[in-house]
Structure formats: C-alpha cells, structure tokens
Amino acid sequence: MRELGWRTDSEKKVFSTPIFDISEMERTSHDGRHGKFVRLDSPDWVVAIPWFRRQDGVPCFVMEEQWRHGPGRVTREFPAGLVEKGESGEDAAKRELMEETGMSGKFTLLGAACPNPAFMNNVQSFFLVEDIKKEGGQSLDPNEEIVVIEVPVEDVIRDMGEGLYDNGIMMEAIGFFMRYAEKHPQLRTLTV
C-alpha cells in the first residue's frame, strides 16, 4: 500500500474569530512534494436529535427554526452547538438542548464525523434524545432567536435536502438517525 501521509514542516495561526481560527501549514509528502495548506480550527460540534411520540401515535422530532447568517435566511434544524473547553460531547449536547428548548432527556450517541476533512479538524457528534421532558424556558445567546416546533419524523425524512432542510449537518443527522432506526424501527412507525 502506498504511503499517503504528509509531514508538517511549519504551522502558524493566521486569523482568529470568536468561533474558529485559521491556521496555515507547510507540508511535505512522502514523495517530496511541498505545499502550503489552510486549516479551519474549530471546536467540536454536537447535534441533539430530540424524538418523541405524539398522543396520536405519530413519531416526531423537536426542531428549531432560526435565522442563519451564512445563507441569509431561516432554516429548520435540530438543536446544536459547539463543545466548550473541558466539556464532553454529551454534556455539550445536553447543555445546547436545555438552552435552546428548555428540554432534557436520555441521550444515545449515534455517531460522529468530521464535517469536512479537506480543511477542517473538528468532529461533530450526533445524539438521539428520548424520554424528553420540558424543564424550563429557553436560555438563548444574545443574538439567537429560536422558534421550537414539532415535526413528524417521516415529514423530515421526506423533505431532507430541500427548502428549510438544505443543511448538510441536518443530512448527516438524519443519516445517523436512519441507520439507528433500522435496528429500532419503532422510531419511525406509527402506533395506534
């Protein structure tokens, strides 16, 4: 098997923001090629996927609608955020769910992935949240405005990748959820 690694010859931070830094590296390949590369250094991210069954037997997600400055419009997403220094992924997901929805529940790690390994160094973890209960109100950041809604699971799966749901992170979340639901089909089935 051919060696694919690159040696880091130098590395320096070239730009900082409140949510990520940018580093520039000079690296040399196993066969002597040399290049400059840029990496976005971000804290790890978490996504909480709150699931419940309505009184009529329909499985639903708790979701959020909020303005996103990247695309300049409203999106529909699961509660999510950054892992703070010294915090575990699960603790971060619990904190984000509580801050954004005022809810708590039982957390199960569905999986983790690098959002974009071409230039990012962080990992994003996805947690299914069951047995959710309302504990209090929202505790949002100063520039957050989040509307909490309930959406049937099958509607989210049907609409994923379009309109309000055209978010790559959401696609990953639904992928992890659907893989888990194959072994736990009650997460998608209607009960009467």
Side-chain angles (χ1 to χ4, degrees):
M1 186 167 156
R2 195 173 121 196
E3 176 62 44
L4 295 175
W6 288 62
R7 180 185 71 237
T8 301
D9 301 318
S10 67
E11 181 174 327
K12 66 180 177 182
K13 186 186 306 183
V14 295
F15 190 74
S16 280
T17 78
I19 57 173
F20 64 83
D21 297 330
I22 297 176
S23 293
E24 185 177 82
M25 293 97 43
E26 292 189 27
R27 289 188 166 154
T28 302
S29 72
H30 65 93
D31 61 2
R33 289 173 288 144
H34 183 77
K36 279 189 176 185
F37 303 91
V38 175
R39 182 184 67 223
L40 191 144
D41 299 317
S42 173
D44 289 342
W45 303 339
V46 292
V47 175
I49 305 170
W51 179 95
F52 72 100
R53 189 174 299 282
R54 279 191 329 215
Q55 288 182 350
D56 63 0
V58 174
C60 292
F61 292 127
V62 174
M63 302 191 76
E64 305 173 347
E65 290 183 351
Q66 64 181 309
W67 177 266
R68 287 303 198 179
H69 292 279
R73 61 180 168 74
V74 172
T75 64
R76 186 174 290 164
E77 306 169 6
F78 293 117
L82 302 175
V83 177
E84 294 178 357
K85 197 170 197 127
E87 190 175 42
S88 72
E90 184 173 337
D91 286 342
K94 288 177 179 178
R95 176 183 48 75
E96 289 291 341
L97 180 65
M98 182 61 72
E99 289 175 358
E100 295 180 0
T101 69
M103 296 178 183
S104 65
K106 183 184 110 199
F107 283 67
T108 302
L109 177 64
L110 299 183
C114 181
N116 189 334
F119 66 93
M120 298 178 76
N121 68 347
N122 65 331
V123 172
Q124 182 162 350
S125 299
F126 300 86
F127 295 88
L128 177 65
V129 187
E130 298 174 274
D131 302 328
I132 59 173
K133 57 186 168 196
K134 187 77 168 160
E135 300 279 352
Q138 293 174 311
S139 179
L140 301 174
D141 294 336
N143 292 321
E144 280 184 312
E145 184 178 11
I146 294 173
V147 175
V148 178
I149 61 172
E150 302 171 358
V151 184
V153 168
E154 293 306 310
D155 291 359
V156 175
I157 292 170
R158 179 196 67 222
D159 296 337
M160 193 50 54
E162 300 176 347
L164 290 171
Y165 298 100
D166 70 344
N167 177 325
I169 295 167
M170 285 294 305
M171 295 292 291
E172 284 183 272
I174 288 299
F176 278 111
F177 174 81
M178 289 177 67
R179 182 178 70 182
Y180 187 80
E182 283 192 12
K183 294 180 182 171
H184 303 88
Q186 72 279 7
L187 293 171
R188 292 188 62 187
T189 55
L190 175 69
T191 60
V192 181

